[in-house]
Amino acid sequence: MIHITSEPLNPQEITELVRKNGNGAVVTFLGVVRDQSEGRRVLHLEYEAYQPMAEKMLHQIAQEIRERWAIEDTAIAHRLGRLMIGEISLVVAVASPHRKDAFEASQYVLDSIKHVVPIWKKEVFEGGEAWVGGEEKGAAPAH
């Protein structure tokens, strides 16, 4: 399951999508908006994406997980728009028969999202704002 939305994410529902009787391991990662970054007090984040390409890249990452670890049960959901402190921006759930594969595949998903998926994050902090990962929206994605 690949899902990009401006609606709040429900980690329990997303995790349930990958739970199967043959999977002995389920790893769920939550990306949560924190209240500080680089010594600055963060007020909120704003996420934007080139959605058609972002969805295509997320599907490609899920395919890479299938090929590399033979894992079929992967769910990735990313939220767009304004997110306040404590809100969930990203849910990645990976399930497999064994924990090592689930952890490795989950880490691979997270690293891949950060490096190749066109989703951009702007930090709004006391005294200013900045696109994370570059000087402007067109710069490399960051999470």
Side-chain angles (χ1 to χ4, degrees):
M1 185 278 297
I2 304 300
H3 189 57
I4 299 175
T5 181
S6 60
E7 299 299 318
L9 301 175
N10 183 324
Q12 183 68 31
E13 287 179 6
I14 295 165
T15 300
E16 287 301 317
L17 294 173
V18 302
R19 290 188 58 176
K20 305 281 182 351
N21 288 338
N23 290 328
V26 177
V27 174
T28 301
F29 171 86
L30 306 181
V32 180
V33 178
R34 65 181 183 261
D35 65 357
Q36 57 77 33
S37 177
E38 298 182 15
R40 300 182 294 216
R41 183 171 169 257
V42 174
L43 303 174
H44 67 271
L45 299 180
E46 296 177 15
Y47 283 95
E48 293 186 13
Y50 175 46
Q51 196 158 339
M53 181 59 75
E55 289 175 356
K56 179 179 178 183
M57 296 307 297
L58 292 173
H59 281 287
Q60 180 177 324
I61 292 167
Q63 179 61 36
E64 291 168 7
I65 296 301
R66 281 190 286 280
E67 292 170 3
R68 187 166 174 183
W69 286 276
I71 292 175
E72 295 293 327
D73 300 310
T74 302
I76 306 168
H78 205 299
R79 187 154 169 216
L80 302 179
R82 177 183 274 203
L83 280 76
M84 303 309 291
I85 305 306
E87 289 191 285
I88 298 168
S89 61
L90 174 66
V91 179
V92 174
V94 177
S96 70
H98 305 286
R99 69 178 178 263
K100 183 178 182 207
D101 289 343
F103 275 111
E104 287 177 358
S106 180
Q107 183 68 53
Y108 181 83
V109 170
L110 295 168
D111 291 344
S112 297
I113 289 171
K114 184 169 187 156
H115 291 101
V116 302
V117 179
I119 298 175
W120 300 278
K121 174 174 73 174
K122 180 169 57 172
E123 289 182 346
V124 178
F125 49 87
E126 286 183 338
E129 60 186 39
W131 289 99
V132 176
E135 304 258 338
E136 56 188 297
K137 188 165 59 173
H143 297 272

